[in-house]
Amino acid sequence: MKYVAGVDIGNATTETALGKIENGVLTACVSGISGTTGIKGTKENIQGIIHSLKDATGKLSVELSALDLIRINEATPVIGDFAMETITETIITESTLIGHNPDTPGGIGLGIGKTILITELDHADKTEKYIVVVPEEIDFLDAARIINDKWNEGYEIEGAILKKDDGVLVSNRLNRVIPILDEVEVIGRVPLGMLCAVEVAAPGSCIDLLSNPYGIATVFQLNPKETKQIVPIAKALIGNRSAVVIKTPAGEIKERRIPAGEITVHGGQRSYMASVDRGAREIMSVVEKVNEILDITGTQGTNVGGMLEKVRAEMAALTEQDYKDVFIKDLMAVDTIVPKEVQGNLANEFAMEKAVGIAAMVKTHRLHMERLAEALSEELRIPIEIGGVEGSMAVLGALTTPGTEKPLLVLDIGAGSTDACFIDEKGNTKPIHLAGAGNMVTMLISAELGLDDFKLAEDIKKYPLARVESLYHIRHEDGSVQFFEEPIDSKLYARTIIVKPEGWKAVKTKKPLEKIKQVRREAKEKVLIQNILRALRKVSITGNINEFEHVVLVGGSSLDFELGNMVTEVLSYYGIISGKANVRSTEGPRNAVATGLLLSYLRDLEEHEVRERRI
Amino acid sequence: MMGDKSGKTLQIEIFCSPEGEAFARAVGYGLEEEGLPYQVETGEEYSPETAYESSQQGGLGVSVLIKEGWISVYTRQLKEKRPLFYEPAADPDIAKLLGKNAARIVKNKPFLEIDSEMENRKDQSLAPKWAAQL
């Protein structure tokens, strides 16, 4: 009787499959799991390995010292990184104020006039029309009184801009209805004596005139060339309930294209170049053109160049290789639109800017698993073997899923890279490693929602959403309602929350739940689903995805609450059976590599016996 | 003014003792900015029970009490007999913010939080005398 353990050291978890082997037959098999300690492939992993092993030996009621052999995985020698490259930038010069969307603006309609401080009206020319600017020190009662008085004196006041959140209070005390915009934070920067338009729409509607380039052209009497220039303003104002646009003589708003650099894909025969600012499609078409990528480089001195060199340097340091020997073997680019604060804004205005997200992947020689194996063997006094390649082991493990058969493609979506392995009818395996995985999805969610918080974006990616509808109930994103005995924390009232197993977390954004959900699903679709299709095209001999029958997801990321279903949905279109693995009918998508390591031992044992019998 | 089936006018009632009228106005401004109708009832006789009962009857399901130096906001949503918010009646800006939050219960919008500047102005030594009674 023998006890053999397969141990898979992953980036996040260390998994064990422990088998009891009697006369060459596996009579019992249990699993163990523990968090990985230290960076994968370093001696710090030993603590985690021991924990994981003990978790498994406990289930078979044997001591750790009873083990006859431990087989650890040969780590996939890839590392991924990602970056975001903004292509456009909206710049306002000379404080030309653009859109502003406070919760409760006052009044309704459109007002056009020259900006003037409310306290300066006494000396103003009565033949002009005005938009009054009300600083913080003027109370809303005084502001309303002054405007009413000045109307009586014959002044023409067409609208107001307020620092404080008093728009409705002022409006309710005026004798006439004018549009009033409030909560303008840096009111001191509103240029005075300039032509200005203020628009407020009725509750439930959006502004109509200032979000239309020709509307702005009508207000400010612009020529066709000037009208073209103000398109970014109109674009930034779409969907707002209120807005203000001020025209200063030298002021302008422009959309600038940032020189984003070029990417060069070096193939065996020739190299191809793509300009980052042409977007993801062009970059990907170049990447797909090259069958066997030797290296990818970026223009020096640009963001993309810097990012690619950073990946290279990190990998060189981790594997103690020379910087020059590290090559970037794959790259994934995704188009996105991100909210960026407008430069020169007055009230935190945002403009939606075009950007490209880029992920890169590096391949290297074997990681230092030998050193780890030696150290582990010394510590435990048990023989350690380095088993086969991670991908092949994952295939062996995944094949224990009921309903699967060869040929089969196994997908492991990690944090930094997507690893796939194909096994044909004869049992030959072919591993593929692609750039772009979980971290890139998180980056897209964070950027598109303007969160600036990677942890929050990570939670949005992993868990479903809900909205707190009253102090006693929430509505989940699928529409189902859940009631509670105790009142919910009032800080969460009417907010979108992330339903984490350990508790709720508020998403402090004005964006509705539906929008957050849409961004989350689209990010997964853009990166993960696209990568699955890319992997299929790469292993296919004919380039036709339809030739596959089984695609199985393994690894921690396939525990994602919606990814399995998304993949099944997309691949069923191609007639492919796909879904999460259920390793050994019990483990779900976990433990595939560890199980594969154990099974490969049995396979080797069988082959050995057959050979001996022949002799 | 609109009414509901119970015949009650659709508005938020602010009950206050005579010395609290200034704060009642501030709470009212908060409600007004958020677009909700309200009415101020002044008198010594109003108690936490009055405000609680008012919030439980038809209408918008929210009421405010200003008494003995404290502002409290009651809502029908809360099953227990206690206010959802209570703060010392010391700062008109906090009073206005409580008015906005009272409106936000009805509008189903996230509550505004007292910022650090307002927090510093608050007298922390006071504790609601009657909060324990309910």
Side-chain angles (χ1 to χ4, degrees):
Chain A
M1 188 181 64
K2 266 188 165 184
Y3 287 103
V4 177
V7 178
D8 170 28
I9 305 141
N11 288 316
T13 56
T14 299
E15 294 172 355
T16 298
L18 173 64
K20 186 178 177 184
I21 299 159
E22 289 169 292
N23 304 323
V25 179
L26 187 66
T27 53
C29 186
V30 292
S31 301
I33 188 165
S34 171
T36 297
T37 45
I39 296 167
K40 178 175 174 174
T42 59
K43 285 181 192 170
E44 281 74 44
N45 296 160
I46 292 178
Q47 248 356 72
I49 296 173
I50 293 175
H51 271 284
S52 179
L53 282 168
K54 279 188 177 164
D55 186 26
T57 51
K59 289 175 190 167
L60 280 187
S61 306
V62 289
E63 288 298 315
L64 193 56
S65 54
L67 294 187
D68 296 286
L69 177 69
I70 297 170
R71 289 167 62 88
I72 62 174
N73 58 308
E74 186 183 304
T76 314
V78 295
I79 187 171
D81 199 7
F82 56 92
M84 182 73 80
E85 188 80 37
T86 317
I87 298 172
T88 57
E89 186 179 31
T90 304
I91 297 168
I92 310 175
T93 56
E94 278 215 359
S95 313
T96 310
L97 177 66
I98 65 164
H100 179 43
N101 212 14
D103 275 348
T104 51
I108 197 166
L110 175 76
I112 302 163
K114 264 191 181 175
T115 47
I116 187 166
L117 264 184
I118 191 162
T119 47
E120 300 287 320
L121 275 170
D122 282 338
H123 319 287
D125 178 1
K126 276 190 191 173
T127 58
E128 292 260 19
K129 290 182 175 179
Y130 294 104
I131 302 289
V132 290
V133 176
V134 184
E136 190 172 16
E137 55 273 18
I138 307 278
D139 186 43
F140 66 88
L141 290 169
D142 289 332
R145 185 182 46 76
I146 294 170
I147 295 172
N148 281 331
D149 286 352
K150 292 296 165 194
W151 271 336
N152 292 337
E153 289 171 29
Y155 286 93
E156 290 193 70
I157 298 164
E158 300 291 315
I161 302 171
L162 273 52
K163 157 117 198 228
K164 289 206 276 187
D165 180 17
D166 287 338
V168 178
L169 290 169
V170 173
S171 181
N172 286 353
R173 284 160 183 75
L174 293 181
N175 302 333
R176 264 172 55 195
V177 179
I178 55 167
I180 301 172
L181 205 92
D182 58 5
E183 289 182 79
V184 174
E185 271 304 308
V186 269
I187 196 124
R189 272 164 54 192
V190 173
L192 298 171
M194 300 297 160
L195 191 59
C196 167
V198 180
E199 187 178 3
V200 174
S205 337
C206 302
I207 52 159
D208 186 37
L209 198 88
L210 295 182
S211 59
N212 172 5
Y214 300 119
I216 300 176
T218 314
V219 170
F220 295 108
Q221 293 163 356
L222 303 180
N223 63 34
K225 195 178 159 220
E226 289 167 326
T227 308
K228 196 178 172 193
Q229 278 182 359
I230 52 87
V231 172
I233 310 181
K235 209 176 83 188
L237 297 181
I238 293 171
N240 277 16
R241 215 196 119 193
S242 61
V244 50
V245 176
I246 302 169
K247 173 111 170 73
T248 57
E252 60 176 358
I253 295 180
K254 51 187 175 188
E255 190 184 68
R256 197 178 75 172
R257 288 188 93 80
I258 306 165
E262 278 173 340
I263 286 173
T264 310
V265 182
H266 306 274
Q269 306 293 322
R270 52 175 297 189
S271 299
Y272 296 90
M273 269 166 103
S275 176
V276 173
D277 61 12
R278 297 289 291 275
R281 186 176 290 193
E282 178 153 331
I283 299 171
M284 288 318 285
S285 76
V286 167
V287 173
E288 306 261 312
K289 259 186 215 161
V290 182
N291 228 344
E292 193 68 47
I293 296 170
L294 298 182
D295 197 12
I296 300 174
T297 52
T299 317
Q300 274 191 347
T302 62
N303 282 353
V304 67
M307 174 240 164
L308 292 177
E309 291 322 298
K310 191 179 131 233
V311 177
R312 210 185 293 274
E314 266 176 17
M315 197 60 192
L318 192 71
T319 58
E320 293 168 26
Q321 282 186 84
D322 189 18
Y323 178 81
K324 289 188 199 106
D325 295 336
V326 179
F327 302 109
I328 293 172
K329 292 289 191 181
D330 188 42
L331 182 139
M332 184 186 211
V334 173
D335 279 325
T336 173
I337 289 186
V338 297
K340 284 262 177 207
E341 201 165 315
V342 173
Q343 283 192 28
N345 72 84
L346 291 184
N348 299 324
E349 291 92 358
F350 282 84
M352 299 307 285
E353 309 285 5
K354 285 179 212 129
V356 178
I358 292 170
M361 191 267 302
V362 161
K363 243 186 225 174
T364 171
H365 307 304
R366 283 177 131 193
L367 287 173
H368 303 299
M369 283 304 185
E370 289 91 351
R371 265 189 244 166
L372 173 63
E374 271 169 37
L376 187 64
S377 176
E378 244 168 61
E379 173 109 17
L380 296 177
R381 310 236 158 256
I382 297 168
I384 313 284
E385 256 179 40
I386 297 178
V389 182
E390 204 168 327
S392 312
M393 293 301 109
V395 168
L396 276 184
L399 275 168
T400 62
T401 300
T404 56
E405 62 172 0
K406 294 181 235 174
L408 164 129
L409 185 87
V410 168
L411 273 164
D412 184 355
I413 300 160
S417 68
T418 300
D419 304 320
C421 190
F422 178 68
I423 185 164
D424 65 16
E425 286 98 333
K426 291 175 190 146
N428 302 315
T429 55
K430 183 183 177 187
I432 314 143
H433 305 292
L434 298 171
N439 281 349
M440 196 188 194
V441 174
T442 310
M443 175 189 74
L444 285 179
I445 292 172
S446 172
E448 290 188 14
L449 294 174
L451 294 177
D452 271 341
D453 182 347
F454 199 80
K455 259 194 161 164
L456 179 65
E458 185 81 10
D459 283 339
I460 291 176
K461 177 181 81 177
K462 280 189 185 160
Y463 306 105
L465 300 165
R467 187 173 186 277
V468 178
E469 299 225 309
S470 82
L471 291 166
Y472 288 95
H473 83 276
I474 65 170
R475 185 177 296 273
H476 291 279
E477 65 172 55
D478 64 354
S480 61
V481 177
Q482 190 178 1
F483 288 88
F484 298 89
E485 282 293 314
E486 293 296 314
I488 296 163
D489 182 359
S490 64
K491 284 196 175 103
L492 300 176
Y493 181 75
R495 289 196 184 276
T496 298
I497 52 168
I498 305 167
V499 185
K500 293 172 72 171
E502 62 269 27
W504 299 342
K505 190 171 174 181
V507 188
K508 288 197 175 171
T509 161
K510 279 189 179 175
K511 297 198 170 67
L513 182 148
E514 287 72 24
K515 173 72 185 167
I516 303 172
K517 181 181 169 184
Q518 183 199 346
V519 166
R520 180 191 77 209
R521 285 184 70 95
E522 277 178 9
K524 286 178 187 174
E525 148 78 39
K526 277 190 225 172
V527 179
L528 305 181
I529 302 286
Q530 282 312 311
N531 249 358
I532 291 171
L533 297 177
R534 224 151 62 90
L536 289 170
R537 279 197 292 269
K538 280 214 169 201
V539 276
S540 152
I541 303 157
T542 58
N544 184 359
I545 294 176
N546 293 332
E547 69 188 56
F548 295 97
E549 285 226 352
H550 292 277
V551 172
V552 179
L553 298 179
V554 299
S557 65
S558 47
L559 292 169
D560 181 293
F561 71 102
E562 62 187 346
L563 184 65
N565 292 346
M566 285 172 80
V567 173
T568 307
E569 228 170 276
V570 172
L571 293 189
S572 68
Y573 175 78
Y574 298 98
I576 301 171
I577 309 161
S578 64
K580 287 186 213 176
N582 191 10
V583 176
R584 307 200 317 262
S585 312
T586 53
E587 301 302 305
R590 284 214 181 272
N591 211 274
V593 175
T595 300
L597 283 164
L598 176 63
L599 293 179
S600 72
Y601 169 80
L602 285 167
R603 192 184 58 187
D604 294 349
L605 208 66
E606 260 171 44
E607 282 171 9
H608 186 71
E609 272 176 20
V610 170
R611 237 177 291 140
E612 273 190 349
R613 254 180 257 146
R614 274 192 201 140
I615 294 164
Chain B
M1 198 57 81
M2 286 176 292
D4 67 355
K5 280 179 193 161
S6 66
K8 194 175 165 175
T9 313
L10 264 185
Q11 61 186 6
I12 291 173
E13 282 175 303
I14 305 172
F15 301 98
C16 78
S17 50
E19 72 276 8
E21 271 195 314
F23 289 105
R25 265 200 305 279
V27 171
Y29 293 149
L31 286 164
E32 185 184 342
E33 178 61 30
E34 293 285 332
L36 267 95
Y38 66 94
Q39 186 171 351
V40 180
E41 307 274 356
T42 313
E44 289 291 0
E45 69 276 25
Y46 296 124
S47 67
E49 278 78 13
T50 326
Y52 174 75
E53 291 303 329
S54 164
S55 74
Q56 298 300 305
Q57 289 157 16
L60 297 170
V62 174
S63 68
V64 182
L65 176 74
I66 298 159
K67 197 175 171 71
E68 291 172 5
W70 284 83
I71 305 169
S72 19
V73 178
Y74 290 83
T75 165
R76 186 172 51 201
Q77 278 203 26
L78 208 59
K79 289 178 204 160
E80 298 150 67
K81 233 178 165 185
R82 64 171 172 87
L84 179 62
F85 299 113
Y86 51 87
E87 294 288 341
D91 186 303
D93 277 344
I94 293 182
K96 194 172 161 193
L97 182 133
L98 285 174
K100 285 186 185 177
N101 278 349
R104 281 164 176 256
I105 300 172
V106 181
K107 290 165 84 173
N108 202 266
K109 279 174 78 176
F111 298 128
L112 300 168
E113 282 171 34
I114 293 173
D115 61 31
S116 52
E117 199 189 321
M118 288 185 202
E119 193 71 43
N120 291 337
R121 291 196 300 244
K122 244 164 69 175
D123 188 353
Q124 297 289 341
S125 64
L126 295 165
K129 288 178 208 156
W130 38 261
Q133 298 167 16
L134 284 177

